[in-house]
Amino acid sequence: MNKMQKALAELAEMDELAAMRSPVHRLHPGAKLITTIVYIMITLSFGKYDLPGLVPMVLWPAMMFSLSGVRVRTCFYKLRIVLPLVMAVGLFNPFFDRQTMLTIGGIAVSGGVISMITLMLKGVFSLMASFLLMATTKIDSLCAALRKLHVPALLVSLLQLTYRYVGVMTEELAVMTDAYHLRAPGQKGIHISAWGSFLGQLLLRSMDRAQELYSSMILRGYHEHFHYADIDRFRGRDALYMLISVMFFVLLRYGNISQLVGGLVVR
Amino acid sequence: MIGFQNVDFSYEKDRKVLHDMSFGIGKGESVGLIGANGAGKSTIMKLMLGLLGPDSGRVLIDGIEVKKDTLSDIRAKLGFVLQNSDNQMFMPTVYEDMIFGPLNYGLPRDEADRRVDEVLGRLGLEYLKNRYNHKISGGEKRMAAIATILAMEPEAVLMDEPTSALDPYNRRIVINTIKSLDQTRLIASHDLDMILDTCDRVILISGGRIAADGPAEKILTDKELLEANRMELPFRFAGR
Ligand SMILES: Nc1ncnc2c1ncn2[C@@H]1O[C@H](COP(=O)(O)OP(=O)(O)OP(=O)(O)O)[C@@H](O)[C@H]1O
Ligand SMILES: [Mg+2]
């Protein structure tokens, strides 16, 4: 397998993850979507020095991982490309914010370091939550849920088609890379002189294929949106799941769990 | 059921691909469309489906002209097996792909499910039902693509190279399946033995024109006619 085929296999694996069976997978996509959004909003709302408050937020994704059977390793493996970017965002804080916030064992920790860690964790938690959503919900059900929430059909179709288009483009790239290397043995990358035509071809080919795929969808009765009858009714357990999750977030955010726990330990 | 009236078509200016083409196909007929590479077979099918529009002339399906505002009616009547199955299948699994069309046309899910199972059974493909499209072989994908179209129960089936990439066993299944259909069938292929088995009539295309149109046994045994149009006799007649 070349690099592209690996990328493709990974992309396709998301479909497979989403097709697994678990209590989390069975939940209504809308309930999961809303809960995830609330989770991310609350996570991002922590103050920039509120590291002790933020840390317990990890409990929810941890719980979801164990209930869904999706492995944490898989998550970090798949996010390995975006994670460093998210981490990099906070990297400069220590340089700007040098005021000492607290001292641990004689080492002064500046506000910048705390806010850096807080920012990084916010990014990591949000990514984990989004990943969990994608790994436990089929893209089509998710889009159906978006439609039910009155997100414009055009946007939803765009999301859906992009999801498929990325696959098509990667597939073409895989085929072309193989074809190239079969005729350029021993060469590591693709020679710079071939880039222009290579990229041009890639674009044309993937557009052609996307066009044909789209035709094939239209010919089978597709009209701007997929058939949405697919997702189950919103059940009691979905409401319960949302309610408990959101209450849990609110508790973590405003209930001062860390102080509570800290208080218990000290006394 | 299908009619071409003086159809001209070109992809690019000044390079006509179809010249003043006229023919008709009746309900329930099974017609083979043959011709060398680049003769215009796929183009003809795409015109019927309204994926392309003629420069002049008319394309009729069931008496309705193929036009922008009739497209959805027309497409509901036709099932098209693409030349490249990779471009036909777009859902994660074979099952989801098969049920996509019937659901779009408003069939309730349990009935659509029943239909999917029936078609899979008929083609002996039960084992493919829950497989991922990116993890099946080229030939399996072709079989799945055919199943996808049959599950829609269209009034007419258009197949572009249905047997390419198939092993002899699956090829035979496809031939028997095509024979057992009572819908109108139009089959473009270079597999002339298959055409002979499945079609009563053959239209021979050459350079965007109809070179011959008649009973399959007559055209497919006419060595001179075939060779004049860059083709050969079906294998079973070769060496005569
Ligand atoms: N997208 C396109 N743009 C320009 N020309 C095209 C396009 N598609 C096909 N053609 C040209 O139109 C002619 C007919 O092509 P068509 O695909 O209909 O042939 P075909 O009979 O299906 O051939 P094959 O047996 O190889 O599938 C060919 O000369 C081809 O080069
Ligand atoms: Mg063709």
Side-chain angles (χ1 to χ4, degrees), chain A residues 12 15-16 19 138 140 164 171 209 212-213 215-223 225-227 230, chain B residues 46 51 75 80 82 86-88 90-92 96-97 100-101 103-105 109 132 134-135 148 152:
Chain A
D15 281 333
E16 286 179 48
K138 291 186 184 173
D140 297 328
R164 308 238 172 267
E171 222 171 271
R209 280 202 52 196
E212 281 234 320
L213 275 170
S215 313
S216 148
M217 288 164 65
I218 299 179
L219 292 178
R220 282 192 266 155
Y222 172 83
H223 293 291
H225 55 78
F226 278 71
H227 189 82
D230 213 329
Chain B
K46 287 180 181 166
L51 293 173
R75 287 170 176 174
F80 180 42
L82 271 71
D86 273 334
N87 296 347
Q88 175 122 33
F90 48 81
M91 298 295 278
E96 284 165 289
D97 233 306
F100 178 83
L103 288 182
N104 274 327
Y105 285 115
R109 180 163 277 269
Y132 286 90
H134 64 279
K135 284 190 177 170
T148 301
M152 290 172 52

Side-chain angles (χ1 to χ4, degrees), chain B residues 132-197:
Chain B
Y132 286 90
N133 277 324
H134 64 279
K135 284 190 177 170
I136 59 180
S137 79
E140 286 170 335
K141 205 178 275 186
R142 170 57 51 87
M143 292 298 283
I146 293 173
T148 301
I149 296 310
L150 293 183
M152 290 172 52
E153 297 187 354
E155 286 174 39
V157 188
L158 313 179
M159 296 189 174
D160 202 347
E161 291 291 355
T163 52
S164 68
L166 294 187
D167 64 26
Y169 179 79
N170 275 333
R171 175 176 171 275
R172 184 50 56 190
I173 290 181
V174 169
I175 290 177
N176 291 337
T177 308
I178 297 175
K179 276 209 274 198
S180 73
L181 298 175
D182 45 23
Q183 287 114 318
T184 311
R185 284 145 288 171
L186 180 65
I187 297 155
S189 184
H190 301 289
D191 180 352
L192 299 187
D193 287 275
M194 178 269 288
I195 297 281
L196 195 60
D197 278 341

Side-chain angles (χ1 to χ4, degrees), chain B residues 215-232:
Chain B
E217 309 91 70
K218 188 157 157 280
I219 291 182
L220 295 177
T221 49
D222 190 337
K223 192 160 182 249
E224 272 148 48
L225 176 69
L226 291 174
E227 282 176 1
N229 292 293
R230 285 180 40 204
M231 282 184 298
E232 291 175 355

Side-chain angles (χ1 to χ4, degrees), chain A residues 183-204:
Chain A
R183 285 186 288 157
Q187 205 169 308
K188 255 213 154 148
I190 287 164
H191 195 267
I192 195 147
S193 64
W195 277 26
S197 55
F198 199 85
L199 286 179
Q201 272 295 316
L202 173 67
L203 198 66
L204 285 178

Side-chain angles (χ1 to χ4, degrees), chain A residues 161-175:
Chain A
L161 294 176
T162 309
Y163 186 78
R164 308 238 172 267
Y165 185 70
V166 169
V168 168
M169 188 131 149
T170 321
E171 222 171 271
E172 284 305 312
L173 198 58
V175 172

